[in-house]
Amino acid sequence: MSTSVRPEPKPGVMDIAAYVPGRESAPCATKVWKLSSNESPLGPSPAAVEAISKAMGHLELYPDGSATKLRNAIAETHGLNPANILCSNGSDELLGLLAQTYIKPGDEAIFTEHGFLVYRIQTLAAGGTPVVVKEDKERADVDAILAAVTEKTRIVFLANPNNPTGTYIPVDEVRRLQAGLPKTALLVLDAAYAEYVRRNDYESGIELVSSSENVVMTRTFSKIHGMAALRIGWMYAPAHVVDAVNRVRGPFNVNALAIEAGAAAIRDKAHVERAVAYNETWSAWLVEELGKLGLRVTPSVGNFLLIHFPENGGKSAADADAFLGTRGYVLRRVVPYGFPNALRLTVGPEEANRGVVAALKEFMES
Ligand SMILES: *Cc1c(COP(=O)(O)O)cnc(C)c1O
């Protein structure tokens, strides 16, 4: 059928390598621990679950198209103006909306070599050209980003902290980046893991959004709030960006159950604190135990660790992945992120953390 005339996708679309989510299953194991998607071992706030059961009585009604209840709850919790908040069906949707709103064919978007894969996908889907810049020791390099700016640059995507490295850049570096960008380029600070970071020199981006016209911060309920299934994201942005994206988004992009559950979840500060404390304890434990096995781990401020494996001796990341699979531990391979010989491990339930370390010990000693 090679001669047939048929609808063809626009330029860029067939260059996209479709996003592959973390695997859910392992081949031979009976009990499977999914540690591949940075999901919260604590699950959602009980208040969120209760809010959903109340909302289930009215599935025939369209949701509030501007998600007012959710925006107000977010605004109250973070001390923001609700008019500067826009909610979405997961923050992935927002990344796409921003690309659709600001990138036209021929325009460029910059991100770093180990940056989140969705930036490339959404740039190509908008017809734009991805511009990939080198990192410095697995960390975003502000000078390299600024050196890549041209008059075609429309967006700079920066995950801070980044996935899959878990590294971050301090607030003065983010400020230096913003100050060096042309006023016509939008700086998108993807702060999906902001709540986990306990460093004095870190800021999620709220200050910078408030004090400039070309910065937006995106956030998610999928990680610390343990609600990935519901798909809730939001951005804090200057009024002109909110206005533009509101014209492009679907009119009911956030569903009614998500609005109710999200509003309840963000008010449950105790649950968030529990998740942060749990992560601190177990990520420190995992770093120490993995170090004892002689494995290099990139210093992470998120709820996941990037583990590097020896190049040879049958101890590669692919070998480890296969071995762990037989024991029921599913980690994330990160080849498309430029790490052919590393695996990303999500901090999981206690039993899984202990078990995956024991399995890795067995693997390294085998
Ligand atoms: C998980 C993640 C997201 C959020 O995804 P959702 O669509 O909100 O579930 C965004 N950015 C990064 C870097 C992530 O790791």
Side-chain angles (χ1 to χ4, degrees):
M1 297 299 285
S2 59
T3 55
S4 69
V5 177
R6 58 182 192 181
E8 294 293 342
K10 64 183 180 176
V13 171
M14 300 313 290
D15 298 329
I16 296 173
Y19 187 88
V20 181
R23 275 182 294 132
E24 292 175 23
S25 58
C28 333
T30 44
K31 170 101 178 121
V32 172
W33 296 101
K34 184 187 177 201
L35 305 168
S36 57
S37 297
N38 298 347
E39 294 150 339
S40 173
L42 273 62
S45 157
V49 178
E50 197 189 319
I52 289 182
S53 29
K54 282 194 187 139
M56 284 205 310
H58 289 286
L59 296 184
E60 73 283 8
L61 300 178
Y62 275 99
D64 166 17
S66 44
T68 311
K69 187 170 181 177
L70 178 55
R71 286 192 300 119
N72 286 343
I74 295 167
E76 225 180 278
T77 311
H78 288 278
L80 307 173
N81 182 346
N84 294 99
I85 294 171
L86 187 146
C87 297
S88 59
N89 186 42
S91 58
D92 281 348
E93 185 194 27
L94 262 179
L95 300 170
L97 287 168
L98 289 164
Q100 292 295 333
T101 304
Y102 289 98
I103 296 173
K104 64 182 183 309
D107 286 345
E108 296 172 353
I110 300 176
F111 46 89
T112 65
E113 60 180 322
H114 305 303
F116 190 44
L117 282 182
V118 170
Y119 309 149
R120 169 187 291 279
I121 293 172
Q122 296 301 351
T123 299
L124 287 168
T129 305
V131 175
V132 183
V133 305
K134 284 278 174 212
E135 296 187 0
D136 178 23
K137 301 190 187 76
E138 296 164 5
R139 222 178 62 138
D141 179 343
V142 168
D143 293 312
I145 296 172
L146 290 176
V149 170
T150 72
E151 71 283 355
K152 291 180 184 164
T153 306
R154 288 290 156 279
I155 297 186
V156 174
F157 289 107
L158 178 72
N160 201 30
N162 184 48
N163 169 16
T165 52
T167 59
Y168 77 105
I169 61 171
V171 61
D172 46 313
E173 281 292 278
V174 181
R175 282 205 200 100
R176 195 163 71 80
L177 172 59
Q178 191 272 337
L181 289 177
K183 290 192 159 63
T184 49
L186 188 67
L187 175 58
V188 177
L189 297 173
D190 177 348
Y193 302 95
E195 297 87 348
Y196 291 104
V197 187
R198 283 296 179 264
R199 297 293 171 92
N200 291 333
D201 60 355
Y202 175 79
E203 267 177 34
S204 60
I206 288 176
E207 301 292 344
L208 211 54
V209 172
S210 305
S211 62
S212 53
E213 288 291 318
N214 67 334
V215 182
V216 317
M217 173 192 69
T218 63
R219 300 284 282 259
T220 180
F221 282 72
S222 301
K223 307 288 158 56
I224 195 91
H225 295 290
M227 296 165 70
L230 285 179
R231 316 300 308 123
I232 314 173
W234 57 280
M235 74 169 176
Y236 177 54
H240 68 95
V241 176
V242 171
D243 177 47
V245 174
N246 261 330
R247 295 163 195 256
V248 176
R249 71 172 172 90
F252 305 104
N253 62 330
V254 187
N255 73 72
L257 304 185
I259 291 172
E260 295 297 327
I266 204 157
R267 290 205 161 95
D268 188 349
K269 292 182 183 169
H271 188 73
V272 171
E273 283 311 313
R274 270 196 299 277
V276 171
Y278 180 92
N279 189 63
E280 277 203 333
T281 303
W282 284 101
S283 94
W285 184 84
L286 284 165
V287 166
E288 191 177 327
E289 296 298 319
L290 295 169
K292 286 182 201 164
L293 300 180
L295 294 166
R296 181 170 80 83
V297 177
T298 305
S300 170
V301 292
N303 65 334
F304 54 89
L305 300 170
L306 187 65
I307 310 171
H308 303 266
F309 288 84
E311 297 285 333
N312 38 37
K315 297 280 183 272
S316 70
D319 297 322
D321 189 46
F323 182 89
L324 292 173
T326 66
R327 297 295 187 273
Y329 299 98
V330 181
L331 277 62
R332 183 63 156 267
R333 290 218 61 190
V334 280
V335 182
Y337 287 94
F339 292 111
N341 208 23
L343 295 176
R344 194 193 66 197
L345 167 67
T346 305
V347 175
E350 174 170 352
E351 188 183 344
N353 297 336
R354 294 193 185 280
V356 78
V357 164
L360 275 168
K361 184 165 195 285
E362 194 186 343
F363 167 73
M364 291 303 286
E365 287 169 358
S366 65

